[in-house]
Amino acid sequence: MGHTGTPARPAPAAPDGATGATGATGGTGARRRPAAVLRPHVVGYTGFHTRFPAPRRRLELPTGYVTLVFAFGEGLWVTRSGEPAGAGLRPAPVSRALIAGPRTVPAIGVHAGAVHGLEVNMSPLGAYRLFGVPMAHFEASLVDLADVLGPAGRQLPERLRALDGWDARFDLLDSVLAARLDRGPAVTPGVRGALALLWADTGPGSLARATAGTGWSPRHLRARFREEVGLPPKAVARVFRLQHALRALAAGTAPAEVAAACGYHDQAHFGRDVKAMTGLPPARFAALRGGLPPGSALDRMPGRITSVLLPPEPGRPG
């Protein structure tokens, strides 16, 4: 497939801070939307090749999306989602690709100052079509792309790394992913509709309304969501409500107002849920975000709050 997406545009020097972030000593990157045929399924591509004088730690928040990361060099550590907060960081495999599915808990990524790779963000229904496996497979841990795609998945990271320039890498991804669209399972319209309703409606009773809209029993909806989304509907509703709440917090809205607007029982309920899903109290989250809006250079996808920069932790790579 030839180049059918929009031209790559320069990205910030790293996917962990604003353009011109303090301390950056150089690097290249780019962002691009996928080819038109992939846009219902894939949010976008981000390439990064950065150098900072010190390690950097990122808290990765639940977004409801699926992330595929290609690591082209050493110096990247990750925790698996669902592990205890004190779990040890593990090196990401060099020149391999890891998939993180939808989740309700945060993860931590650390790079040692220099990091090189490429990230693909996609909807869970898009990942279901493209990977052709039940999405519950990705719920609790990072999964190697080779475990899903076999030999093609093992070869793709090295093929991408060997290419010269981000546009060529993005073109290859367009070609590989578009070729898989006709091979994957069809998405159930009821699941797609319920997802849209849960994103648009975070108030009390939203899950019951979404279920009623499908005409299915709650049990059948849970089974379809585990197959096609990777999380049960109640967990998806929590993630979507969290995202709406974090957007409001980042915009400077008072926590009590956020709690009322986003369907929490009260401010205490809001605080508990944010702490459980991000590891941070709302005030600490707002302070670490520093007023950055959703979809800023710190974030990996439009309209979502995906990441927070953390201070270095003594005794660890970040």
Side-chain angles (χ1 to χ4, degrees):
M1 173 183 291
H3 175 71
T4 57
T6 55
R9 66 181 190 272
D16 58 4
T19 303
T22 302
T25 58
T28 62
R31 288 178 177 170
R32 198 178 87 187
R33 295 184 70 193
V37 70
L38 290 167
R39 290 178 191 173
H41 316 287
V42 180
V43 178
Y45 308 137
T46 300
F48 49 89
H49 194 181
T50 15
R51 294 181 295 278
F52 285 87
R56 292 167 76 82
R57 303 173 68 230
R58 288 166 55 107
L59 183 71
E60 303 294 351
L61 306 173
T63 64
Y65 279 110
V66 175
T67 300
L68 168 59
V69 177
F70 297 91
F72 296 159
E74 297 180 352
L76 179 65
W77 292 267
V78 293
T79 58
R80 272 58 166 175
S81 62
E83 290 183 328
L89 294 164
R90 306 172 186 179
V94 176
S95 283
R96 292 171 67 184
L98 298 176
I99 307 167
R103 50 192 167 79
T104 59
V105 293
I108 293 176
V110 177
H111 68 73
V115 61
H116 186 197
L118 193 155
E119 184 172 286
V120 181
N121 286 292
M122 59 188 73
S123 72
L125 299 184
Y128 179 62
R129 281 284 305 275
L130 293 167
F131 297 140
V133 297
M135 291 303 295
H137 185 66
F138 304 108
E139 180 180 357
S141 64
L142 296 172
V143 177
D144 196 299
L145 184 62
D147 294 339
V148 178
L149 301 187
R154 282 188 288 273
Q155 297 162 8
L156 183 56
E158 187 54 43
R159 291 176 65 195
L160 288 167
R161 185 169 68 162
L163 290 171
D164 184 19
W166 295 115
D167 269 327
R169 292 177 177 129
F170 297 158
D171 286 346
L172 176 58
L173 284 171
D174 278 347
S175 178
V176 170
L177 295 179
R180 296 192 59 82
L181 280 177
D182 292 335
R183 306 181 195 174
V187 170
T188 307
V191 173
R192 188 185 302 280
L195 273 177
L197 286 171
L198 290 173
W199 175 254
D201 179 4
T202 63
S206 60
L207 181 55
R209 288 189 289 274
T211 304
T214 66
W216 297 336
S217 69
R219 180 176 182 179
H220 186 68
L221 184 65
R222 284 195 298 271
R224 294 315 315 157
F225 262 58
R226 292 300 301 275
E227 173 76 13
E228 300 181 30
V229 179
L231 289 175
K234 184 176 181 179
V236 171
R238 284 184 71 205
V239 171
F240 286 175
R241 181 172 60 181
L242 174 75
Q243 278 292 319
H244 284 284
L246 295 185
R247 286 162 57 94
L249 267 183
T253 306
E257 294 179 38
V258 175
C262 294
Y264 293 94
H265 298 311
D266 51 31
Q267 187 174 343
H269 176 213
F270 167 56
R272 289 193 302 271
D273 215 42
V274 171
K275 180 68 180 296
M277 298 179 74
T278 72
L280 299 171
R284 179 62 172 158
F285 162 82
L288 288 172
R289 280 289 297 192
L292 286 173
S296 72
L298 180 62
D299 299 310
R300 303 188 315 273
M301 59 194 74
R304 301 284 168 120
I305 300 283
T306 72
S307 312
V308 174
L309 277 181
L310 297 173
E313 185 176 12
R316 285 209 176 164

